[in-house]
């Protein structure tokens, strides 16, 4: 039965009138996603979320793509939800000494929140699609997320909040392609964003604004001390601990006989603790607000773990509890940071198991 469902899933044996709603941003990835689904026989509808004031350009670009493909295009005002669940989360994380992952919250509450619900409930979508690089497979009675072909674009880390309800109605057509192939398809079919660059990570902080300037406008100057994590020596002063993150080296602005790294942050005392690179390594952490992609049979096991997106998988021993997990790495890892996401992957094939928010 499982093989048959896989066959249906991958070969798209379907009623040609099935409807695919694509989260259409006007960028290369979502545009080619819409193109591929259209070629597979779906009735494709573009759905664009209006999230910030700068979204006018996103809506305009998405409409150009929809017009090129001759598909219907809808715009959903998600600005209030986006402000509440993404922007406020971002600000409050820094206020509390944590380093956030806004893209993960956007996926949970916007793309697979209000847009997913609107697609299925209002647009009668049979499937929901985005331009993420990930591979959904139906295995042993559950949907699982596997790495995409392009290991440099693999986005499982950002998708750990998704569950079976979402995965059962979602497709990622780009999983079998690398980025250059996707760009070439955009060129071949003369799609409007064929020469556009990849979108920036924090969409609500537009250039020339920077994250540091954005937070400085929110919090203002808050004079505090740089303190050595081992000796207690005061190295200097800063203008707000929210400007720093664990593991940071550049931008500290302290003249020292050796490179200094941010080792810890005490937001209540407004202290940024610094030290040598070796002071920044730990072997354990906890992840809270745990979400599992599918039910796991074991509560204690070895897995690959990432505690930030741009890092190699590290082997660790995992113990699951009701809503958190304790992680013990087999070798020390650097820059374990409060507020980032700790994501778990199967030890054999690196499919996604779940994840949560890192607590040091």
């Amino acid at each position: 039965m499982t093989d048959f469902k896989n066959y249906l899933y991958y070969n798209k044996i379907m009623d040609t009138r099935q409807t695919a709603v694509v989260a259409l941003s006007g960028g290369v990835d979502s545009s080619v996603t819409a193109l591929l689904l259209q070629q597979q026989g779906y009735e494709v509808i573009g759905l664009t979320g209006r999230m910030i004031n700068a979204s006018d350009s996103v809506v305009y670009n998405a409409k150009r793509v929809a017009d090129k493909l001759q598909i219907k295009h809808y715009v959903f005002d998600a600005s209030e939800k986006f402000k509440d669940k993404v922007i406020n989360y971002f600000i409050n994380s820094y206020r509390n000494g944590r380093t956030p992952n806004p893209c993960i919250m956007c996926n949970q509450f916007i793309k697979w929140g209000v847009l997913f619900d609107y697609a299925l409930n209002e647009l009668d979508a049979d499937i929901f699609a985005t331009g993420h690089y990930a591979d959904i497979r139906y295995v042993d009675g559950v949907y699982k997320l596997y790495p995409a072909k392009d290991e440099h674009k693999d986005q499982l880390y950002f998708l750990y909040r998704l569950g079976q309800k979402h995965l059962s109605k979602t497709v990622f057509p780009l999983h079998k392609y690398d980025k250059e192939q996707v760009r070439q398809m955009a060129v071949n079919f003369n799609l409007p964003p064929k020469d556009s660059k990849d979108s920036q990570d924090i969409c609500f902080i537009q250039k020339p604004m920077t994250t540091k300037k954005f937070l400085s406008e929110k919090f203002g100057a808050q004079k505090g001390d740089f303190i050595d994590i081992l000796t207690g020596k005061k190295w200097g002063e800063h203008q707000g601990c929210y400007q720093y993150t664990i593991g940071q080296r550049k931008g500290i602005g302290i003249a020292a006989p050796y490179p200094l790294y941010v080792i810890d942050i005490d937001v209540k005392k407004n202290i940024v603790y610094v030290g040598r690179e070796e002071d920044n390594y730990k072997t354990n952490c906890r992840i809270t607000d745990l979400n599992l992609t599918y039910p796991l049979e074991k509560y204690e096991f070895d897995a690959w773990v990432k505690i930030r997106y741009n890092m190699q998988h590290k082997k660790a021993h995992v113990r699951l509890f009701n809503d958190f997990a304790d992680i013990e790495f087999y070798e020390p890892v650097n820059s374990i940071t409060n507020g980032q996401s700790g994501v778990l992957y199967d030890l054999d094939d690196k499919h996604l198991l779940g994840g949560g928010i890192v607590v040091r």
Side-chain angles (χ1 to χ4, degrees):
M1 186 66 177
T2 298
D3 290 341
F4 179 66
K5 286 193 173 183
N6 270 330
Y7 182 78
L8 290 178
Y9 187 82
Y10 287 112
N11 292 279
K12 305 293 188 293
I13 307 282
M14 58 185 170
D15 182 337
T16 56
R17 292 175 296 174
Q18 277 198 319
T19 301
V21 172
V22 177
L24 197 61
S25 68
V28 170
D29 293 334
S30 65
S31 301
V32 173
T33 294
L35 170 68
L36 291 173
L37 291 173
Q38 188 179 61
Q39 291 177 336
Q40 292 170 11
Y42 284 98
E43 178 187 353
V44 176
I45 296 174
L47 176 60
T48 304
R50 184 187 296 276
M51 301 176 202
I52 55 175
N53 291 335
S55 290
D56 286 345
S57 62
V58 174
V59 172
Y60 171 77
N61 291 334
K63 187 177 187 308
R64 289 178 65 208
V65 174
D67 290 345
K68 173 68 177 180
L69 296 176
Q70 298 183 328
I71 61 175
K72 296 177 183 177
H73 180 230
Y74 293 84
V75 178
F76 183 91
D77 186 358
S79 57
E80 287 301 315
K81 179 71 74 171
F82 188 80
K83 180 180 179 182
D84 179 36
K85 296 297 186 179
V86 181
I87 298 178
N88 288 346
Y89 148 80
F90 181 84
I91 294 169
N92 290 332
S93 293
Y94 277 104
R95 179 180 286 121
N96 292 297
R98 299 190 293 265
T99 302
N101 284 126
C103 292
I104 290 174
M105 295 301 122
C106 183
N107 283 339
Q108 179 181 358
F109 294 107
I110 307 301
K111 290 186 179 71
W112 281 273
V114 291
L115 295 186
F116 179 87
D117 291 343
Y118 185 80
L120 268 61
N121 299 331
E122 302 298 327
L123 300 181
D124 296 323
D126 295 290
I127 60 169
F128 180 72
T130 74
H132 283 84
Y133 289 77
D135 184 9
I136 303 173
R137 303 178 193 173
Y138 189 77
V139 180
D140 298 330
V142 293
Y143 291 90
K144 297 181 180 181
L145 274 164
Y146 287 79
K149 174 186 176 181
D150 189 342
E151 60 181 16
H152 300 294
K153 288 290 294 181
D154 183 75
Q155 294 174 307
L156 296 191
Y157 182 86
F158 297 106
L159 300 171
Y160 79 85
R161 305 300 301 177
L162 305 189
Q164 290 296 294
K165 178 185 78 171
H166 305 109
L167 296 179
S168 68
K169 290 292 185 178
T170 298
V171 294
F172 296 129
L174 303 188
H175 75 86
K176 64 177 76 172
Y177 305 102
D178 61 39
K179 183 69 179 192
E180 289 309 309
Q181 289 176 304
V182 172
R183 285 196 178 280
Q184 190 58 51
M185 281 188 275
V187 171
N188 292 346
F189 287 88
N190 198 29
L191 294 177
K194 59 186 178 182
D195 298 319
S196 66
K197 296 181 180 179
D198 288 346
S199 59
Q200 62 191 72
D201 290 336
I202 305 177
C203 64
F204 55 89
I205 301 180
Q206 300 286 321
K207 293 181 179 180
M209 179 64 75
T210 64
T211 299
K212 185 174 182 178
K213 290 179 181 179
F214 177 86
L215 294 173
S216 295
E217 288 185 1
K218 295 294 180 183
F219 302 138
Q222 298 176 7
K223 188 176 179 180
D225 295 331
F226 287 111
I227 301 294
D228 192 288
I229 190 72
L230 294 182
T231 67
K233 173 184 176 179
K234 178 178 174 178
W235 280 102
E237 295 179 345
H238 59 77
Q239 296 302 310
C241 65
Y242 58 82
Q243 298 180 4
Y244 304 91
T245 188
I246 305 298
Q248 180 176 336
R249 176 185 173 187
K250 296 182 179 179
I252 296 177
I254 298 174
Y258 47 84
L260 290 176
Y261 294 78
V262 175
I263 306 301
D264 203 359
I265 296 172
D266 187 331
V267 68
K268 291 183 179 179
K269 296 180 180 179
N270 197 23
I271 294 174
V272 176
Y273 290 98
V274 296
R276 301 172 188 251
E277 183 179 13
E278 56 264 30
D279 300 326
N280 200 30
Y281 282 79
K282 295 184 66 175
T283 58
N284 59 78
C285 69
R286 173 170 290 183
I287 57 173
T288 60
D289 194 20
L290 180 67
N291 182 76
L292 298 177
T293 307
Y294 62 93
L296 301 180
E297 296 179 358
K298 296 181 180 180
Y299 293 93
E300 189 167 349
F301 50 88
D302 284 348
W304 296 113
V305 178
K306 293 175 71 170
I307 45 90
R308 58 185 174 278
Y309 174 59
N310 289 316
M311 70 171 287
Q312 293 294 320
H313 300 77
K314 299 294 184 180
K315 186 178 179 180
H317 190 70
V318 179
R319 290 187 298 152
L320 299 181
F321 298 89
N322 287 336
D323 60 353
F324 68 92
D326 283 339
I327 312 297
E328 186 77 27
F329 292 98
Y330 280 90
E331 60 183 46
V333 297
N334 69 320
S335 305
I336 297 178
T337 305
N338 285 330
Q340 287 285 285
S341 289
V343 180
L344 315 177
Y345 305 81
D346 183 78
L347 202 60
D348 294 327
D349 57 20
K350 290 185 178 178
H351 76 263
L352 184 68
L353 302 177
I357 306 300
V358 171
V359 177
R360 286 159 57 87

